[in-house]
Amino acid sequence: MKSITNADGIKMLSVICPVFNEEAYIENVLTFFIESKPDNKELLVIDGGSTDKTIDIVKKWSEKYTNIRLLFNPNKYVPYALNIGIKNSTGDPIIRLDAHTVYSNDYFEKILGVFDETGADIVGGHMNKAGKTILQEVIAYCTSSVFGIGDSKIHDLSFSGFTNHVYLGAWKREIFDQIGCFDQEMKRNQDDEFHYRANLNGKKIFLSNKIKSTYFPRSTVWKLFKQYFQYGFYKPLVLRKLKKIVQVRHIIPALFVIYLITLPLYPVIYLFIPLIIYLVLSIYFSTRRKQSLIEIIASPIIYFILHFAYGSGFIIGSLKLIFEGQSQKSFY
Protein backbone atom coordinates (compact mmCIF):
# COMPACT_ATOMS: atom_id res chain seq x y z
CA MET A 1 0.00 0.00 0.00
CA LYS A 2 1.60 3.23 -1.11
CA SER A 3 0.64 6.66 0.19
CA ILE A 4 0.58 9.77 -1.98
CA THR A 5 1.64 13.39 -1.54
CA ASN A 6 0.33 16.62 -2.91
CA ALA A 7 2.14 19.02 -5.24
CA ASP A 8 4.07 20.50 -2.30
CA GLY A 9 5.27 17.09 -1.15
CA ILE A 10 2.93 16.99 1.87
CA LYS A 11 1.57 13.55 2.66
CA MET A 12 -2.11 12.81 2.33
CA LEU A 13 -3.94 11.97 5.57
CA SER A 14 -6.59 9.22 5.28
CA VAL A 15 -9.61 9.09 7.57
CA ILE A 16 -12.01 6.13 7.61
CA CYS A 17 -15.41 5.98 9.31
CA PRO A 18 -17.70 2.91 9.36
CA VAL A 19 -21.38 3.87 9.66
CA PHE A 20 -24.78 2.24 9.94
CA ASN A 21 -27.96 4.30 10.41
CA GLU A 22 -26.13 7.37 11.73
CA GLU A 23 -28.34 10.18 10.42
CA ALA A 24 -28.39 11.77 13.88
CA TYR A 25 -24.58 11.89 14.13
CA ILE A 26 -22.96 11.80 10.69
CA GLU A 27 -23.15 15.52 9.90
CA ASN A 28 -21.16 16.28 13.06
CA VAL A 29 -18.39 14.01 11.76
CA LEU A 30 -18.49 15.53 8.27
CA THR A 31 -18.41 19.08 9.63
CA PHE A 32 -15.50 18.26 11.91
CA PHE A 33 -13.57 16.67 9.06
CA ILE A 34 -13.96 19.65 6.71
CA GLU A 35 -13.18 22.28 9.34
CA SER A 36 -10.15 20.55 10.87
CA LYS A 37 -6.50 20.75 9.87
CA PRO A 38 -4.50 19.70 7.91
CA ASP A 39 -6.19 20.42 4.58
CA ASN A 40 -4.54 17.61 2.64
CA LYS A 41 -6.76 14.75 3.75
CA GLU A 42 -9.48 12.39 2.58
CA LEU A 43 -12.50 10.89 4.32
CA LEU A 44 -13.86 7.49 3.40
CA VAL A 45 -17.31 6.81 4.87
CA ILE A 46 -18.09 3.09 4.67
CA ASP A 47 -21.80 2.35 4.98
CA GLY A 48 -23.04 -1.03 6.22
CA GLY A 49 -26.52 -0.88 4.68
CA SER A 50 -28.16 2.11 6.32
CA THR A 51 -31.94 2.36 5.99
CA ASP A 52 -32.23 5.93 7.29
CA LYS A 53 -30.91 9.14 5.68
CA THR A 54 -27.22 8.45 6.31
CA ILE A 55 -26.39 7.61 2.68
CA ASP A 56 -28.25 10.66 1.33
CA ILE A 57 -26.46 12.95 3.77
CA VAL A 58 -23.01 11.63 2.86
CA LYS A 59 -23.78 11.78 -0.87
CA LYS A 60 -24.80 15.42 -0.53
CA TRP A 61 -21.52 16.27 1.22
CA SER A 62 -19.42 14.25 -1.25
CA GLU A 63 -20.90 16.23 -4.13
CA LYS A 64 -19.71 19.44 -2.51
CA TYR A 65 -16.35 18.16 -1.21
CA THR A 66 -14.30 15.93 -3.49
CA ASN A 67 -12.18 14.62 -0.62
CA ILE A 68 -15.22 12.86 0.90
CA ARG A 69 -16.06 9.46 -0.57
CA LEU A 70 -18.90 7.06 0.16
CA LEU A 71 -18.13 3.34 0.01
CA PHE A 72 -20.40 0.38 0.69
CA ASN A 73 -19.91 -2.60 2.98
CA PRO A 74 -22.21 -5.47 1.93
CA ASN A 75 -21.09 -7.52 4.95
CA LYS A 76 -22.34 -4.85 7.39
CA TYR A 77 -19.90 -5.51 10.24
CA VAL A 78 -17.15 -3.10 11.32
CA PRO A 79 -13.99 -5.16 10.49
CA TYR A 80 -15.14 -5.48 6.87
CA ALA A 81 -15.72 -1.72 6.74
CA LEU A 82 -12.30 -0.96 8.21
CA ASN A 83 -10.57 -3.19 5.67
CA ILE A 84 -12.54 -1.64 2.79
CA GLY A 85 -11.50 1.80 4.00
CA ILE A 86 -7.85 0.83 4.41
CA LYS A 87 -7.61 -0.79 0.97
CA ASN A 88 -9.28 2.15 -0.78
CA SER A 89 -7.39 4.90 1.04
CA THR A 90 -4.27 6.63 -0.22
CA GLY A 91 -2.91 8.50 2.79
CA ASP A 92 -0.50 7.87 5.64
CA PRO A 93 -1.29 7.64 8.51
CA ILE A 94 -4.78 6.15 8.46
CA ILE A 95 -7.09 7.44 11.19
CA ARG A 96 -10.34 5.85 12.30
CA LEU A 97 -13.36 7.91 13.32
CA ASP A 98 -16.56 6.80 15.03
CA ALA A 99 -19.87 8.54 14.35
CA HIS A 100 -20.85 8.55 18.05
CA THR A 101 -17.81 10.58 19.03
CA VAL A 102 -17.10 14.32 19.14
CA TYR A 103 -13.52 15.33 18.41
CA SER A 104 -11.38 18.28 19.46
CA ASN A 105 -10.62 20.75 16.66
CA ASP A 106 -6.93 19.80 16.71
CA TYR A 107 -7.57 16.03 16.80
CA PHE A 108 -5.71 15.23 13.56
CA GLU A 109 -2.88 17.64 14.32
CA LYS A 110 -2.32 16.10 17.75
CA ILE A 111 -2.24 12.62 16.23
CA LEU A 112 0.43 13.67 13.75
CA GLY A 113 2.38 15.37 16.52
CA VAL A 114 2.31 12.27 18.75
CA PHE A 115 3.53 10.11 15.86
CA ASP A 116 6.49 12.47 15.39
CA GLU A 117 7.25 12.77 19.11
CA THR A 118 7.08 9.08 20.02
CA GLY A 119 8.02 7.12 16.91
CA ALA A 120 5.06 4.83 17.65
CA ASP A 121 3.40 2.68 15.00
CA ILE A 122 -0.09 3.24 16.43
CA VAL A 123 -1.35 6.23 18.42
CA GLY A 124 -4.65 7.28 19.90
CA GLY A 125 -6.43 8.88 22.82
CA HIS A 126 -8.61 7.86 25.73
CA MET A 127 -12.21 6.71 25.69
CA ASN A 128 -13.63 9.76 27.43
CA LYS A 129 -17.37 9.17 27.82
CA ALA A 130 -20.32 11.51 28.29
CA GLY A 131 -24.09 11.32 27.98
CA LYS A 132 -26.88 13.40 26.50
CA THR A 133 -29.50 11.74 28.71
CA ILE A 134 -29.52 10.62 32.36
CA LEU A 135 -29.26 6.98 31.27
CA GLN A 136 -26.28 7.73 29.01
CA GLU A 137 -24.62 9.64 31.86
CA VAL A 138 -25.00 6.64 34.14
CA ILE A 139 -23.73 4.25 31.48
CA ALA A 140 -20.79 6.57 30.77
CA TYR A 141 -19.86 6.63 34.45
CA CYS A 142 -20.25 2.88 35.03
CA THR A 143 -18.34 1.91 31.88
CA SER A 144 -15.44 4.13 32.91
CA SER A 145 -15.07 2.94 36.51
CA VAL A 146 -12.75 0.25 37.84
CA PHE A 147 -15.68 -1.70 39.25
CA GLY A 148 -17.53 -1.56 35.93
CA ILE A 149 -14.85 -2.66 33.47
CA GLY A 150 -11.49 -2.91 35.21
CA ASP A 151 -8.42 -0.71 35.29
CA SER A 152 -7.60 -0.32 31.60
CA LYS A 153 -5.36 2.68 30.86
CA ILE A 154 -7.72 3.70 28.07
CA HIS A 155 -10.08 5.11 30.73
CA ASP A 156 -7.39 6.84 32.83
CA LEU A 157 -7.52 10.35 31.38
CA SER A 158 -4.31 11.38 33.14
CA PHE A 159 -2.19 8.62 31.58
CA SER A 160 0.13 9.10 28.62
CA GLY A 161 2.58 6.44 27.55
CA PHE A 162 3.18 3.22 25.67
CA THR A 163 0.42 0.68 26.24
CA ASN A 164 -1.43 -2.17 24.53
CA HIS A 165 -4.57 -0.38 23.35
CA VAL A 166 -6.01 3.00 22.37
CA TYR A 167 -9.49 4.28 21.57
CA LEU A 168 -10.23 4.06 17.81
CA GLY A 169 -6.62 4.40 16.69
CA ALA A 170 -4.40 5.92 14.03
CA TRP A 171 -2.00 3.63 12.20
CA LYS A 172 1.05 4.01 10.02
CA ARG A 173 0.13 2.57 6.64
CA GLU A 174 3.04 0.14 6.57
CA ILE A 175 1.68 -1.77 9.55
CA PHE A 176 -1.05 -3.35 7.42
CA ASP A 177 1.53 -4.67 4.96
CA GLN A 178 3.52 -6.11 7.85
CA ILE A 179 0.88 -7.77 10.06
CA GLY A 180 -2.26 -7.79 7.92
CA CYS A 181 -5.58 -5.98 8.25
CA PHE A 182 -8.45 -6.46 10.69
CA ASP A 183 -9.67 -9.98 11.40
CA GLN A 184 -13.09 -10.24 9.76
CA GLU A 185 -14.21 -13.04 12.10
CA MET A 186 -14.22 -10.49 14.91
CA LYS A 187 -17.63 -8.84 14.73
CA ARG A 188 -16.65 -7.26 18.04
CA ASN A 189 -13.25 -6.75 19.67
CA GLN A 190 -11.57 -6.42 16.26
CA ASP A 191 -9.57 -3.44 17.53
CA ASP A 192 -8.45 -5.40 20.62
CA GLU A 193 -7.34 -8.30 18.45
CA PHE A 194 -5.49 -6.05 16.01
CA HIS A 195 -3.68 -4.11 18.71
CA TYR A 196 -2.75 -7.32 20.58
CA ARG A 197 -1.41 -8.70 17.30
CA ALA A 198 0.55 -5.50 16.72
CA ASN A 199 2.13 -5.79 20.18
CA LEU A 200 3.04 -9.42 19.57
CA ASN A 201 4.81 -8.32 16.38
CA GLY A 202 6.87 -5.70 18.18
CA LYS A 203 4.81 -2.66 17.18
CA LYS A 204 4.65 0.29 19.56
CA ILE A 205 1.30 1.74 20.67
CA PHE A 206 1.16 5.14 22.37
CA LEU A 207 -1.81 6.44 24.33
CA SER A 208 -1.78 10.23 24.60
CA ASN A 209 -3.98 12.56 26.62
CA LYS A 210 -3.27 15.25 24.03
CA ILE A 211 -5.56 13.43 21.58
CA LYS A 212 -9.01 14.40 22.85
CA SER A 213 -12.48 13.18 21.97
CA THR A 214 -15.78 12.43 23.70
CA TYR A 215 -17.69 9.20 23.13
CA PHE A 216 -21.46 8.88 23.64
CA PRO A 217 -22.40 5.36 24.85
CA ARG A 218 -25.47 3.28 23.99
CA SER A 219 -28.76 5.03 24.65
CA THR A 220 -30.84 2.04 25.84
CA VAL A 221 -30.37 -0.81 28.30
CA TRP A 222 -30.96 -3.43 25.59
CA LYS A 223 -28.33 -1.94 23.28
CA LEU A 224 -25.89 -1.85 26.20
CA PHE A 225 -26.58 -5.49 27.09
CA LYS A 226 -26.13 -6.60 23.48
CA GLN A 227 -22.89 -4.62 23.15
CA TYR A 228 -21.27 -6.14 26.26
CA PHE A 229 -22.60 -9.61 25.54
CA GLN A 230 -20.82 -9.44 22.18
CA TYR A 231 -17.64 -8.13 23.85
CA GLY A 232 -17.69 -11.16 26.13
CA PHE A 233 -18.65 -13.57 23.36
CA TYR A 234 -15.71 -12.67 21.13
CA LYS A 235 -13.07 -12.38 23.87
CA PRO A 236 -12.35 -16.18 23.95
CA LEU A 237 -11.82 -16.08 20.18
CA VAL A 238 -9.31 -13.24 20.58
CA LEU A 239 -7.46 -15.19 23.28
CA ARG A 240 -7.41 -18.35 21.18
CA LYS A 241 -6.23 -16.65 18.00
CA LEU A 242 -3.40 -14.88 19.77
CA LYS A 243 -2.61 -17.83 22.05
CA LYS A 244 -2.90 -15.59 25.10
CA ILE A 245 -3.32 -17.08 28.55
CA VAL A 246 -6.72 -16.45 30.10
CA GLN A 247 -6.24 -14.09 33.05
CA VAL A 248 -8.42 -13.79 36.15
CA ARG A 249 -9.89 -10.48 35.00
CA HIS A 250 -11.11 -12.14 31.81
CA ILE A 251 -13.19 -14.71 33.65
CA ILE A 252 -14.45 -12.91 36.78
CA PRO A 253 -17.74 -11.86 35.10
CA ALA A 254 -18.23 -15.43 33.80
CA LEU A 255 -17.65 -16.87 37.28
CA PHE A 256 -20.12 -14.32 38.64
CA VAL A 257 -22.79 -15.50 36.18
CA ILE A 258 -22.16 -19.15 37.03
CA TYR A 259 -22.38 -18.28 40.72
CA LEU A 260 -25.74 -16.54 40.28
CA ILE A 261 -27.19 -19.37 38.18
CA THR A 262 -26.14 -22.09 40.63
CA LEU A 263 -26.92 -20.18 43.83
CA PRO A 264 -30.60 -21.35 44.02
CA LEU A 265 -29.39 -24.97 43.87
CA TYR A 266 -27.49 -24.57 47.14
CA PRO A 267 -29.47 -22.06 49.25
CA VAL A 268 -27.01 -22.11 52.14
CA ILE A 269 -26.78 -18.81 53.98
CA TYR A 270 -23.00 -18.43 53.80
CA LEU A 271 -23.08 -18.85 50.01
CA PHE A 272 -24.88 -15.50 49.85
CA ILE A 273 -21.82 -13.72 51.24
CA PRO A 274 -20.21 -13.12 47.77
CA LEU A 275 -23.50 -11.64 46.54
CA ILE A 276 -23.68 -9.35 49.56
CA ILE A 277 -20.08 -8.23 48.95
CA TYR A 278 -20.93 -7.56 45.30
CA LEU A 279 -23.95 -5.45 46.26
CA VAL A 280 -21.92 -3.47 48.80
CA LEU A 281 -19.20 -2.75 46.24
CA SER A 282 -21.80 -1.82 43.64
CA ILE A 283 -23.43 0.67 46.00
CA TYR A 284 -20.05 2.03 47.09
CA PHE A 285 -18.90 2.73 43.54
CA SER A 286 -22.32 4.14 42.66
CA THR A 287 -21.95 6.81 45.36
CA ARG A 288 -18.29 7.71 44.81
CA ARG A 289 -19.11 10.74 42.72
CA LYS A 290 -21.78 13.41 43.10
CA GLN A 291 -24.90 12.20 41.31
CA SER A 292 -28.63 12.68 41.49
CA LEU A 293 -30.68 10.15 43.45
CA ILE A 294 -32.01 8.54 40.27
CA GLU A 295 -28.44 8.12 38.95
CA ILE A 296 -27.33 6.53 42.23
CA ILE A 297 -30.25 4.10 42.06
CA ALA A 298 -29.60 3.32 38.37
CA SER A 299 -25.84 2.75 38.67
CA PRO A 300 -25.99 -0.66 40.44
CA ILE A 301 -28.45 -1.83 37.78
CA ILE A 302 -26.08 -0.78 35.00
CA TYR A 303 -23.14 -2.45 36.76
CA PHE A 304 -25.12 -5.69 36.96
CA ILE A 305 -26.07 -5.49 33.26
CA LEU A 306 -22.42 -4.95 32.27
CA HIS A 307 -21.16 -7.88 34.33
CA PHE A 308 -23.97 -10.31 33.52
CA ALA A 309 -23.92 -9.49 29.79
CA TYR A 310 -20.14 -9.80 29.45
CA GLY A 311 -19.97 -12.90 31.64
CA SER A 312 -22.77 -14.76 29.85
CA GLY A 313 -21.25 -13.80 26.49
CA PHE A 314 -17.86 -15.13 27.59
CA ILE A 315 -19.40 -18.43 28.73
CA ILE A 316 -21.35 -18.98 25.51
CA GLY A 317 -18.39 -17.93 23.37
CA SER A 318 -16.11 -20.33 25.23
CA LEU A 319 -18.58 -23.22 24.95
CA LYS A 320 -18.98 -22.60 21.25
CA LEU A 321 -15.22 -22.82 20.72
CA ILE A 322 -14.97 -25.97 22.83
CA PHE A 323 -17.84 -27.91 21.29
CA GLU A 324 -17.61 -26.80 17.70
CA GLY A 325 -13.88 -26.27 17.40
CA GLN A 326 -14.41 -23.68 14.69
CA SER A 327 -14.97 -19.96 14.15
CA GLN A 328 -18.06 -18.10 15.33
CA LYS A 329 -18.67 -16.58 11.92
CA SER A 330 -22.40 -17.23 11.66
CA PHE A 331 -23.50 -17.04 15.32
CA TYR A 332 -25.51 -13.85 15.04
Side-chain angles (χ1 to χ4, degrees), residues 67-111:
N67 60 342
I68 295 177
R69 285 192 285 159
L70 175 64
L71 302 175
F72 295 96
N73 171 24
N75 293 295
K76 182 179 177 178
Y77 293 103
V78 170
Y80 292 95
L82 294 174
N83 290 343
I84 290 170
I86 291 164
K87 291 174 182 177
N88 285 276
S89 66
T90 56
D92 188 7
I94 300 171
I95 300 173
R96 177 185 173 183
L97 296 185
D98 176 83
H100 287 249
T101 302
V102 174
Y103 306 89
S104 63
N105 293 335
D106 60 357
Y107 187 76
F108 296 144
E109 294 173 289
K110 292 300 184 183
I111 284 175

Side-chain angles (χ1 to χ4, degrees), residues 9-230:
I10 300 175
K11 277 188 175 182
M12 169 77 76
L13 179 72
S14 285
V15 183
I16 58 177
C17 183
V19 296
F20 176 72
N21 286 344
E22 302 291 0
E23 65 178 10
Y25 297 93
I26 190 61
E27 286 207 276
N28 292 333
V29 173
L30 297 169
T31 300
F32 157 72
F33 172 79
I34 292 299
E35 294 181 352
S36 62
K37 298 292 183 180
D39 295 326
N40 193 36
K41 60 184 182 295
E42 62 177 355
L43 171 63
L44 285 71
V45 180
I46 307 98
D47 185 83
S50 294
T51 56
D52 63 0
K53 297 179 181 178
T54 300
I55 293 174
D56 293 334
I57 293 170
V58 177
K59 281 183 176 179
K60 180 180 177 181
W61 279 71
S62 65
E63 290 170 359
K64 184 176 180 180
Y65 300 99
T66 58
N67 60 342
I68 295 177
R69 285 192 285 159
L70 175 64
L71 302 175
F72 295 96
N73 171 24
N75 293 295
K76 182 179 177 178
Y77 293 103
V78 170
Y80 292 95
L82 294 174
N83 290 343
I84 290 170
I86 291 164
K87 291 174 182 177
N88 285 276
S89 66
T90 56
D92 188 7
I94 300 171
I95 300 173
R96 177 185 173 183
L97 296 185
D98 176 83
H100 287 249
T101 302
V102 174
Y103 306 89
S104 63
N105 293 335
D106 60 357
Y107 187 76
F108 296 144
E109 294 173 289
K110 292 300 184 183
I111 284 175
L112 296 175
V114 172
F115 269 123
D116 290 339
E117 293 166 9
T118 64
D121 303 285
I122 301 170
V123 307
H126 297 86
M127 196 174 195
N128 180 33
K129 300 174 184 176
K132 296 181 179 180
T133 65
I134 291 177
L135 179 59
Q136 275 189 313
E137 283 284 357
V138 175
I139 292 173
Y141 170 66
C142 292
T143 56
S144 300
S145 74
V146 172
F147 184 67
I149 57 172
D151 60 351
S152 173
K153 295 294 185 184
I154 199 173
H155 302 288
D156 181 358
L157 303 184
S158 65
F159 176 82
S160 278
F162 288 100
T163 185
N164 58 9
H165 191 42
V166 292
Y167 176 54
L168 297 180
W171 315 285
K172 290 182 178 179
R173 173 169 288 275
E174 63 185 16
I175 197 171
F176 300 107
D177 293 321
Q178 295 166 351
I179 70 170
C181 292
F182 286 87
D183 190 327
Q184 294 178 164
E185 283 189 285
M186 307 300 301
K187 305 302 186 294
R188 287 284 185 189
N189 296 4
Q190 67 277 342
D191 51 347
D192 285 347
E193 188 279 335
F194 183 80
H195 290 150
Y196 284 147
R197 183 163 22 114
N199 268 313
L200 290 174
N201 282 273
K203 303 303 179 185
K204 296 180 179 179
I205 303 175
F206 195 91
L207 176 63
S208 173
N209 56 17
K210 295 179 182 179
I211 302 170
K212 299 182 183 299
S213 65
T214 302
Y215 169 76
F216 294 92
R218 296 299 188 268
S219 57
T220 69
V221 169
W222 168 242
K223 289 180 180 178
L224 179 70
F225 181 92
K226 184 177 179 181
Q227 179 186 26
Y228 275 80
F229 177 89
Q230 291 176 342

